[in-house]
Amino acid sequence: MQTCYMCDQLATSSEHVPPKCLFPEAKDSSGIDYRRDLITIPSCDIHNTAKSKDDEFLMISLAGIFGNNSIGYSHKFTKVNRAIRRSANRLLDVAFVKRKHYILENNNQFLEVIWGTPDHDRLRKCFTHIAYGLHYYHFQQRFQGEVKILLGYLHSSDKSNNNFVQFIKAIAARDLNGVKEIGQNPDVFYYQFVEPDVHGIYMIHMQFYGGIDVYASFVPRGNPVPFNLGIELMNLGLETIIKFGDKEYEINKK
């Protein structure tokens, strides 16, 4: 008997990671079925059926983001918009803590744009579940430890936070160079695992719709996070300049 990818309970079903709803059906993508050969893992009821609303939240939050490829946009204007209409915009209220609607016009063609603050905590929760699931699928064992999520696709009004995210992405790009991209539908989703460092900590990079980058670090239980002077200075709010390659990243600049 298999156990759940997230806990010690016996598995009662299979869960898709990432959620199946992120992948367009053939009827919404010019006959191309992006739901073929999806990744599934064993799950208990609590960590599968009970989180269906989180899956829908994630779909609403990701599909229409600027910078996505045409598959993401197509998904937004078909399945996602149908779900939003059925909920009388309730799903938008759930996905965004604050939001505004704009209408862009170009040659008598109109495009609705939503500008807002997403629910960061819930997004991290969703991606944490996906990271645990992919770890189980990739290594055939449940991860024991802490997972930390970095949302590499969101822009903040805090310049220091943006600089820090760009610094982490630069390090990730170096470590991911030449690492295999895994996923049968890479234009919708693929992932990459990086080998553990000297402290036993390792990373996964997940990309959705060609432009949404999410990073997760795996800190195994019993492996303390190594001390880093730069990180400690940043956490204290002190002005810090990090050099990586030929670039400098200013954090907490007064």
Side-chain angles (χ1 to χ4, degrees):
M1 295 290 290
Q2 290 182 306
T3 56
C4 175
Y5 76 102
M6 283 289 291
C7 67
D8 292 324
Q9 296 294 317
L10 290 178
T12 57
S13 62
S14 293
E15 177 176 347
H16 289 90
V17 286
K20 185 178 181 179
C21 62
L22 298 184
F23 296 82
E25 300 175 75
K27 67 178 182 179
D28 294 326
S29 54
S30 302
I32 302 174
D33 182 12
Y34 289 102
R35 293 190 169 187
R36 65 186 187 280
D37 302 322
L38 301 185
I39 296 171
T40 60
I41 50 173
S43 177
C44 67
D45 286 340
I46 292 177
H47 290 111
N48 189 353
T49 56
K51 60 181 271 297
S52 60
K53 291 188 181 300
D54 282 341
D55 294 347
E56 191 175 50
F57 158 81
L58 190 62
M59 178 184 71
I60 300 297
S61 300
L62 299 186
I65 291 179
F66 277 126
N68 283 356
N69 57 24
S70 60
I71 299 172
Y73 286 132
S74 175
H75 201 39
K76 165 63 172 67
F77 293 111
T78 52
K79 180 179 179 62
V80 174
N81 276 358
R82 290 197 300 268
I84 291 172
R85 287 194 295 269
R86 284 197 302 268
S87 72
N89 282 348
R90 177 188 56 81
L91 290 175
L92 288 178
D93 294 331
V94 171
F96 294 93
V97 178
K98 298 178 181 178
R99 63 182 172 89
K100 294 181 180 179
H101 285 76
Y102 298 90
I103 302 294
L104 300 184
E105 186 273 335
N106 182 31
N107 295 327
N108 292 320
Q109 293 183 334
F110 295 86
L111 175 65
E112 181 185 31
V113 176
I114 299 173
W115 177 273
T117 303
D119 187 336
H120 292 80
D121 291 339
R122 194 172 182 185
L123 283 170
R124 290 190 182 94
K125 175 186 173 184
C126 292
F127 288 125
T128 296
H129 277 273
I130 294 173
Y132 272 102
L134 291 172
H135 186 283
Y136 188 100
Y137 172 79
H138 192 82
F139 298 107
Q140 293 298 298
Q141 62 179 358
R142 180 161 59 92
F143 176 68
Q144 306 273 355
E146 182 182 7
V147 171
K148 298 183 177 181
I149 299 294
L150 178 75
L151 306 175
Y153 64 95
L154 293 180
H155 181 80
S156 170
S157 58
D158 183 343
K159 186 176 180 180
S160 289
N161 180 76
N162 290 332
N163 287 343
F164 178 71
V165 170
Q166 292 305 313
F167 165 63
I168 296 299
K169 291 180 71 171
I171 293 178
R174 177 200 64 188
D175 295 343
L176 290 165
N177 184 35
V179 177
K180 183 179 179 181
E181 300 172 357
I182 302 175
Q184 294 299 315
N185 303 286
D187 290 332
V188 178
F189 169 78
Y190 71 80
Y191 73 88
Q192 300 165 283
F193 264 107
V194 173
E195 293 293 322
D197 63 13
V198 294
H199 305 285
I201 300 172
Y202 48 104
M203 179 194 74
I204 185 175
H205 166 232
M206 301 173 276
Q207 187 178 95
F208 303 81
Y209 305 126
I212 297 175
D213 294 303
V214 179
Y215 306 86
S217 62
F218 291 83
V219 184
R221 186 175 298 166
N223 289 39
V225 177
F227 176 82
N228 184 288
L229 178 60
I231 298 298
E232 294 301 320
L233 291 174
M234 287 186 284
N235 289 337
L236 291 172
L238 299 176
E239 184 173 344
T240 308
I241 298 177
I242 303 175
K243 293 184 178 180
F244 182 76
D246 59 352
K247 292 186 177 181
E248 293 185 349
Y249 301 88
E250 297 179 337
I251 314 295
N252 299 326
K253 184 176 181 179
K254 307 301 182 183

